[in-house]
Amino acid sequence: MSSLSRLPRLSRRIVPVALAAALLLPLTACGGSADASDSKSVTVTVGYQSKTINTVTAGTLLRSLGYFESALKAQGARDGITYKVEWQDYATGAPITAAMVAGKVDIGSMGDFPLLINASRGKQLNAPTRLVSVTGYNSRGALNTVVTAPDSDLKSLSDLRGKKVSTSVGSAADGTLVRALEQAGLDPDKDISKLNQQPAVGASALEAGSADALSQFVAWPGLLAFQGKAKALYDGGSLGLPTLHGVTVRGAFADQRPAVVEAFLAAQIKATTYLDTHPVEAAEKVAEVTGLPAEVVYLYNGKGGIATFDPTLKPELVAALKKDVPLLVSAKLAGTVNVSDFVDDSYLKKVYDTGYAKAAATTAPASKPEVWLKGASTTSTYADPAALLRHVAEHGDTVRAAYVPDATTGTRWFADRSVWVQDGTDLEPFVTESAADAWAADHPGSRIVSYADALRQAAK
């Protein structure tokens, strides 16, 4: 991971596209308020991103479960107000920010870079916002992945020299790309040709051959790998820098309607509990709404998935946001952000009551090898990858999906899309070929084997 002393150099490579996008909704439209209400009727407007599946507990899944509406109905019975929820679906976080500073959205969810831009814009326009909870995060950065074509000769980031790489400039995935390239000794300005494209466009470019690689965020890398349209070239978990999504609220709305903010957070906690206790059903619900394959949703959101869902504002996540600020400021994507002022866990603490400190201190357990059989409403976990492979070999076509954690980063990946190394009787999975090569080099006598060979070896 690049040191903080190199942040200004990194940031020059990320142009101010996200900030421009945040201005697509004109501030002159600020005539009304999202809180369209009289003394007895209040409309709460929630901006979310249905296909950004790290935010489902504050968006797609929460909406489908109806928990926020139920919480507001109970609140209305206490204060004599009739509450209505208006859900507004967006493709990215930038237009949510524009709507929030214009007073058109009360509560929104978005990723780490957009959250900081949200804070900056709110401060600049005297419409401050607050980060009140986290939705999904990964403590090592594995939500971002660089992929290439399945038949590509590219094996590592070093092979990208002189190649065309698609990413969404200004996104966390772009930040991962820049940091990873520098770590590999490449200059992102000179050694690659960067294509600024939305994820779907970049995916098409990769498939058509007009892009040699694609750096994107959840759920695109997993989706393309699942479809057989890409293979992982770089695992973002190698950076060791947390990535997260969170919930932000308009400061004025939170001051006026603190009970509504608390009701939303209580509903989010309930949706998180539902996801944790019904992971397969939750994945199916999100898949139905988004059109994503449930197997891909489960890769990220399932038990031991790449994303950890925990609303608490953990110190390490706040620290990661602070590390991003100099990069965004130097790139003129955002003004100076006082992250400590932006983060406000007072509402969440009130909802958790005495349990907040304990919840905030929890960490995600390591991902375990896991198999999802066709028609099953639950999955099975295994002690090691070889045990999973034996189960897959025995059940054949009845296996819907099999997941394994990378032997070095712990990043969960599809077993049949992983790179396998055999070392004696041990079988170790890796997200990327370069990681497998490095591991094999450190373990004399080991060798890379195909997935089919790994299955046969495990079945012996």
Side-chain angles (χ1 to χ4, degrees):
M1 181 172 57
S2 301
S3 67
L4 289 178
S5 64
R6 300 171 74 179
L7 281 175
R9 182 174 173 228
L10 290 175
S11 61
R12 287 195 297 271
R13 301 181 178 100
I14 304 179
V15 299
V17 172
L19 185 57
L23 296 174
L24 288 176
L25 295 181
L27 298 178
T28 53
C30 192
S33 169
D35 180 14
S37 59
D38 53 36
S39 59
K40 294 297 181 181
S41 177
V42 173
T43 297
V44 184
T45 305
V46 180
Y48 74 111
Q49 303 170 60
S50 65
K51 292 189 177 181
T52 303
I53 60 174
N54 295 332
T55 65
V56 294
T57 53
T60 304
L61 182 62
L62 178 60
R63 182 180 184 181
S64 70
L65 293 169
Y67 289 164
F68 186 34
E69 288 81 356
S70 295
L72 288 180
K73 184 175 181 181
Q75 180 61 36
R78 292 189 290 270
D79 59 23
I81 294 176
T82 299
Y83 292 98
K84 176 185 175 183
V85 182
E86 181 180 333
W87 297 88
Q88 295 183 0
D89 190 4
Y90 295 87
T92 65
I96 297 178
T97 288
M100 289 187 77
V101 298
K104 302 298 184 181
V105 166
D106 301 308
I107 303 170
S109 54
M110 59 192 70
D112 39 18
F113 281 21
L115 281 169
L116 294 170
I117 294 171
N118 179 277
S120 175
R121 294 299 293 156
K123 179 181 178 182
Q124 291 170 355
L125 297 169
N126 198 29
T129 57
R130 302 169 190 170
L131 176 60
V132 295
S133 71
V134 171
T135 56
Y137 74 92
N138 182 276
S139 60
R140 292 183 59 92
L143 298 175
N144 305 312
T145 310
V146 181
V147 298
T148 188
D151 58 352
S152 172
D153 293 331
L154 301 177
K155 294 184 178 181
S156 69
L157 285 178
S158 298
D159 295 332
L160 290 178
R161 189 182 301 274
K163 304 297 184 181
K164 296 179 181 178
V165 183
S166 173
T167 191
S168 299
V169 172
S171 71
D174 183 31
T176 292
L177 176 64
V178 170
R179 289 184 172 106
L181 287 172
E182 285 216 335
Q183 194 177 71
L186 272 67
D187 186 328
D189 278 340
K190 301 176 181 178
D191 292 333
I192 68 165
S193 176
K194 186 183 292 186
L195 309 177
N196 180 21
Q197 298 172 326
Q198 290 298 309
V201 177
S204 296
L206 183 67
E207 188 174 6
S210 56
D212 298 294
L214 171 74
S215 180
Q216 276 301 343
F217 44 80
V218 53
W220 285 96
L223 173 63
L224 295 173
F226 177 76
Q227 294 173 331
K229 296 179 179 180
K231 65 179 179 180
L233 184 69
Y234 181 80
D235 171 8
S238 299
L239 278 179
L241 181 67
T243 54
L244 67 137
H245 286 69
V247 176
T248 181
V249 301
R250 291 194 299 115
F253 177 83
D255 289 340
Q256 183 183 12
R257 309 279 181 192
V260 173
V261 176
E262 292 160 17
F264 184 89
L265 296 176
Q268 184 193 344
I269 292 169
K270 190 175 179 180
T272 303
T273 300
Y274 178 90
L275 184 148
D276 289 340
T277 55
H278 302 84
V280 171
E281 187 175 343
E284 296 279 19
K285 283 181 177 291
V286 172
E288 183 179 356
V289 174
T290 62
L292 290 167
E295 297 90 338
V296 174
V297 177
Y298 198 83
L299 171 71
Y300 293 99
N301 291 14
K303 181 172 58 178
I306 297 177
T308 297
F309 288 86
D310 179 346
T312 59
L313 289 153
K314 300 180 185 301
E316 58 268 31
L317 301 182
V318 175
L321 290 175
K322 291 179 179 179
K323 290 179 181 179
D324 287 334
V325 170
L327 187 153
L328 293 170
V329 171
S330 293
K332 299 182 180 179
L333 289 168
T336 301
V337 176
N338 187 321
V339 173
S340 296
D341 287 346
F342 178 48
V343 173
D344 185 352
D345 60 5
S346 63
Y347 302 95
L348 201 56
K349 285 180 175 178
K350 187 170 181 180
V351 175
Y352 269 99
D353 198 12
T354 57
Y356 184 76
K358 181 178 179 180
T362 60
T363 57
S367 181
K368 295 181 179 180
E370 187 174 0
V371 171
W372 184 3
L373 295 178
K374 294 177 181 178
S377 58
T378 59
T379 60
S380 300
T381 56
Y382 299 87
D384 54 58
L388 174 138
L389 290 171
R390 285 193 292 273
H391 184 89
V392 171
E394 291 169 2
H395 290 79
D397 292 339
T398 66
V399 174
R400 182 171 183 178
Y403 309 95
V404 288
D406 183 285
T408 53
T409 64
T411 300
R412 198 230 285 258
W413 204 241
F414 296 109
D416 61 343
R417 304 303 186 202
S418 297
V419 183
W420 289 87
V421 173
Q422 182 179 359
D423 184 7
T425 58
D426 293 334
L427 291 160
E428 303 289 352
F430 299 87
V431 174
T432 66
E433 187 173 351
S434 60
D437 284 338
W439 196 92
D442 289 338
H443 295 76
S446 62
R447 62 190 180 94
I448 293 179
V449 297
S450 68
Y451 180 58
D453 283 341
L455 287 172
R456 282 191 287 270
Q457 291 296 326
K460 289 183 178 180

